[in-house]
Short mmCIF file of all heavy atoms in Angstrom, two decimals:
data_model
loop_
_atom_site.label_atom_id
_atom_site.label_comp_id
_atom_site.label_asym_id
_atom_site.label_seq_id
_atom_site.Cartn_x
_atom_site.Cartn_y
_atom_site.Cartn_z
N GLY A 63 9.69 -13.66 -2.94
CA GLY A 63 10.83 -12.85 -2.77
C GLY A 63 10.80 -11.41 -3.32
O GLY A 63 11.13 -10.45 -2.78
N ALA A 64 10.28 -11.39 -4.63
CA ALA A 64 10.10 -10.08 -5.33
C ALA A 64 9.15 -9.17 -4.55
O ALA A 64 9.29 -8.02 -4.44
CB ALA A 64 9.71 -10.37 -6.70
N ALA A 65 8.08 -9.78 -4.15
CA ALA A 65 7.12 -9.07 -3.34
C ALA A 65 7.57 -8.44 -2.10
O ALA A 65 7.34 -7.30 -1.73
CB ALA A 65 5.76 -9.91 -3.04
N MET A 66 8.37 -9.26 -1.34
CA MET A 66 8.91 -8.82 -0.13
C MET A 66 9.98 -7.73 -0.32
O MET A 66 10.06 -6.69 0.46
CB MET A 66 9.51 -9.94 0.66
CG MET A 66 8.46 -10.99 1.14
SD MET A 66 9.25 -12.50 1.75
CE MET A 66 10.02 -11.92 3.32
N CYS A 67 10.78 -7.91 -1.37
CA CYS A 67 11.84 -6.95 -1.71
C CYS A 67 11.16 -5.52 -2.08
O CYS A 67 11.66 -4.48 -1.71
CB CYS A 67 12.71 -7.38 -2.85
SG CYS A 67 13.87 -8.64 -2.40
N ALA A 68 10.07 -5.57 -2.73
CA ALA A 68 9.34 -4.36 -3.14
C ALA A 68 8.92 -3.60 -1.93
O ALA A 68 8.99 -2.35 -1.92
CB ALA A 68 8.22 -4.70 -4.07
N VAL A 69 8.37 -4.35 -0.93
CA VAL A 69 7.89 -3.67 0.29
C VAL A 69 9.10 -3.00 1.08
O VAL A 69 9.04 -1.76 1.40
CB VAL A 69 7.22 -4.65 1.20
CG1 VAL A 69 6.92 -4.03 2.57
CG2 VAL A 69 5.95 -5.13 0.58
N ILE A 70 10.18 -3.69 1.21
CA ILE A 70 11.28 -3.19 1.92
C ILE A 70 12.06 -2.01 1.20
O ILE A 70 12.47 -1.02 1.78
CB ILE A 70 12.29 -4.27 2.30
CG1 ILE A 70 11.69 -5.30 3.29
CG2 ILE A 70 13.54 -3.77 2.86
CD1 ILE A 70 11.00 -4.72 4.53
N THR A 71 12.15 -2.13 -0.17
CA THR A 71 12.69 -1.14 -0.97
C THR A 71 11.91 0.17 -0.79
O THR A 71 12.54 1.29 -0.58
CB THR A 71 12.79 -1.50 -2.43
OG1 THR A 71 13.60 -2.73 -2.59
CG2 THR A 71 13.39 -0.45 -3.28
N LYS A 72 10.66 0.11 -0.85
CA LYS A 72 9.82 1.23 -0.70
C LYS A 72 9.96 1.87 0.76
O LYS A 72 10.10 3.05 0.89
CB LYS A 72 8.38 0.91 -0.91
CG LYS A 72 7.35 2.09 -0.74
CD LYS A 72 5.96 1.66 -1.16
CE LYS A 72 5.04 2.83 -1.00
NZ LYS A 72 3.64 2.40 -1.39
N ARG A 73 9.97 0.98 1.83
CA ARG A 73 10.12 1.48 3.11
C ARG A 73 11.44 2.12 3.40
O ARG A 73 11.58 3.00 4.24
CB ARG A 73 9.77 0.33 4.14
CG ARG A 73 9.86 0.78 5.59
CD ARG A 73 8.84 1.83 5.90
NE ARG A 73 7.46 1.48 5.66
CZ ARG A 73 6.71 0.86 6.49
NH1 ARG A 73 7.12 0.66 7.70
NH2 ARG A 73 5.42 0.51 6.16
N ALA A 74 12.49 1.55 2.73
CA ALA A 74 13.88 2.00 3.08
C ALA A 74 14.22 3.34 2.26
O ALA A 74 15.17 4.00 2.64
CB ALA A 74 14.96 1.02 2.72
N ALA A 75 13.43 3.65 1.33
CA ALA A 75 13.62 4.87 0.47
C ALA A 75 13.77 6.10 1.41
O ALA A 75 12.91 6.31 2.24
CB ALA A 75 12.50 5.07 -0.53
N GLY A 76 14.83 6.90 1.11
CA GLY A 76 14.98 8.12 1.87
C GLY A 76 15.68 7.93 3.23
O GLY A 76 15.83 8.87 3.98
N THR A 77 16.09 6.70 3.53
CA THR A 77 16.74 6.41 4.79
C THR A 77 18.16 6.05 4.53
O THR A 77 18.59 5.76 3.34
CB THR A 77 16.09 5.24 5.55
OG1 THR A 77 16.42 4.01 4.91
CG2 THR A 77 14.56 5.44 5.55
N PRO A 78 19.07 5.99 5.56
CA PRO A 78 20.48 5.56 5.29
C PRO A 78 20.57 4.16 4.80
O PRO A 78 21.72 3.81 4.25
CB PRO A 78 21.04 5.71 6.70
CG PRO A 78 20.22 6.72 7.40
CD PRO A 78 18.79 6.54 6.94
N LEU A 79 19.56 3.39 4.82
CA LEU A 79 19.63 1.99 4.32
C LEU A 79 19.28 1.90 2.80
O LEU A 79 19.34 0.77 2.32
CB LEU A 79 18.67 1.11 5.09
CG LEU A 79 18.93 1.02 6.65
CD1 LEU A 79 17.77 0.23 7.30
CD2 LEU A 79 20.23 0.55 6.94
N SER A 80 18.91 2.97 2.29
CA SER A 80 18.43 2.88 0.92
C SER A 80 19.43 2.49 -0.13
O SER A 80 19.15 1.99 -1.24
CB SER A 80 17.79 4.22 0.43
OG SER A 80 18.82 5.25 0.51
N ASP A 81 20.76 2.61 0.19
CA ASP A 81 21.83 2.36 -0.71
C ASP A 81 22.23 0.80 -0.63
O ASP A 81 23.01 0.39 -1.38
CB ASP A 81 23.01 3.18 -0.44
CG ASP A 81 22.82 4.64 -0.75
OD1 ASP A 81 21.96 4.86 -1.59
OD2 ASP A 81 23.51 5.49 -0.15
N LEU A 82 21.70 0.09 0.33
CA LEU A 82 22.06 -1.28 0.42
C LEU A 82 21.26 -2.20 -0.46
O LEU A 82 20.07 -2.01 -0.83
CB LEU A 82 21.73 -1.84 1.92
CG LEU A 82 22.55 -1.20 3.05
CD1 LEU A 82 22.13 -1.78 4.37
CD2 LEU A 82 23.99 -1.35 2.87
N PRO A 83 21.96 -3.26 -1.02
CA PRO A 83 21.26 -4.22 -1.86
C PRO A 83 20.13 -4.87 -1.13
O PRO A 83 20.37 -5.34 0.08
CB PRO A 83 22.37 -5.20 -2.24
CG PRO A 83 23.66 -4.57 -1.97
CD PRO A 83 23.38 -3.62 -0.85
N VAL A 84 18.96 -5.07 -1.62
CA VAL A 84 17.84 -5.68 -1.04
C VAL A 84 17.68 -7.12 -1.55
O VAL A 84 17.54 -7.26 -2.81
CB VAL A 84 16.44 -4.90 -1.24
CG1 VAL A 84 15.37 -5.62 -0.52
CG2 VAL A 84 16.69 -3.48 -0.72
N ILE A 85 17.76 -8.10 -0.66
CA ILE A 85 17.45 -9.45 -1.03
C ILE A 85 16.40 -10.01 -0.13
O ILE A 85 15.96 -9.29 0.82
CB ILE A 85 18.74 -10.32 -0.93
CG1 ILE A 85 19.23 -10.33 0.51
CG2 ILE A 85 19.82 -9.81 -1.85
CD1 ILE A 85 20.41 -11.28 0.72
N ALA A 86 15.86 -11.20 -0.32
CA ALA A 86 14.81 -11.69 0.47
C ALA A 86 15.05 -13.16 0.88
O ALA A 86 15.56 -13.94 0.08
CB ALA A 86 13.43 -11.58 -0.25
N SER A 87 14.72 -13.46 2.13
CA SER A 87 14.81 -14.78 2.63
C SER A 87 13.42 -15.42 2.53
O SER A 87 12.48 -14.99 3.22
CB SER A 87 15.33 -14.83 4.08
OG SER A 87 15.39 -16.11 4.58
N VAL A 88 13.32 -16.47 1.75
CA VAL A 88 11.99 -17.08 1.41
C VAL A 88 12.04 -18.57 1.67
O VAL A 88 12.94 -19.24 1.14
CB VAL A 88 11.51 -16.76 -0.03
CG1 VAL A 88 10.06 -17.28 -0.30
CG2 VAL A 88 11.70 -15.29 -0.34
N SER A 89 11.04 -19.11 2.36
CA SER A 89 10.95 -20.56 2.52
C SER A 89 9.58 -21.07 2.05
O SER A 89 8.60 -20.29 2.01
CB SER A 89 11.13 -20.99 3.98
OG SER A 89 10.13 -20.35 4.71
N PRO A 90 9.61 -22.29 1.50
CA PRO A 90 8.27 -22.92 1.06
C PRO A 90 7.35 -23.31 2.20
O PRO A 90 7.80 -24.15 3.00
CB PRO A 90 8.76 -24.06 0.14
CG PRO A 90 10.04 -24.41 0.77
CD PRO A 90 10.64 -23.21 1.23
N MET A 91 6.26 -22.70 2.29
CA MET A 91 5.32 -23.01 3.36
C MET A 91 4.59 -24.45 3.10
O MET A 91 4.16 -25.15 3.89
CB MET A 91 4.27 -21.95 3.51
CG MET A 91 4.76 -20.62 3.98
SD MET A 91 5.48 -20.71 5.64
CE MET A 91 7.25 -20.73 5.30
N ALA A 92 4.43 -24.75 1.75
CA ALA A 92 3.70 -25.98 1.45
C ALA A 92 4.65 -26.75 0.62
O ALA A 92 4.89 -26.54 -0.54
CB ALA A 92 2.41 -25.61 0.61
N LEU A 93 5.17 -27.84 1.21
CA LEU A 93 6.09 -28.77 0.50
C LEU A 93 5.98 -30.17 1.09
O LEU A 93 6.93 -30.73 1.70
CB LEU A 93 7.56 -28.24 0.72
CG LEU A 93 8.58 -28.92 -0.20
CD1 LEU A 93 8.28 -28.49 -1.65
CD2 LEU A 93 10.02 -28.32 0.12
N GLY A 94 4.73 -30.71 0.99
CA GLY A 94 4.52 -32.06 1.39
C GLY A 94 4.53 -32.16 2.91
O GLY A 94 3.87 -31.52 3.64
N GLY A 95 5.36 -33.06 3.40
CA GLY A 95 5.61 -33.32 4.90
C GLY A 95 4.30 -33.80 5.52
O GLY A 95 3.54 -34.56 4.84
N ARG A 96 4.04 -33.28 6.72
CA ARG A 96 2.90 -33.81 7.43
C ARG A 96 1.57 -33.27 6.80
O ARG A 96 0.49 -33.76 7.15
CB ARG A 96 3.01 -33.33 8.96
CG ARG A 96 4.18 -33.96 9.64
CD ARG A 96 4.26 -33.52 11.08
NE ARG A 96 5.28 -34.10 11.74
CZ ARG A 96 5.62 -33.85 13.02
NH1 ARG A 96 5.03 -32.92 13.69
NH2 ARG A 96 6.71 -34.50 13.59
#
């Protein structure tokens, strides 16, 4: 999540979106199952 937020924060800098709070949607790719 922190890594993804860092990428988007950098990309949004200087745009009208730069004032928005940045959060990240993260799911576990490896969690047992099949």
Side-chain angles (χ1 to χ4, degrees):
M66 295 171 68
C67 285
V69 171
I70 295 304
T71 299
K72 181 178 180 180
R73 182 59 61 91
T77 75
L79 302 178
S80 61
D81 292 334
L82 294 181
V84 180
I85 63 176
S87 180
V88 187
S89 60
M91 296 294 103
L93 196 63
R96 294 180 179 176

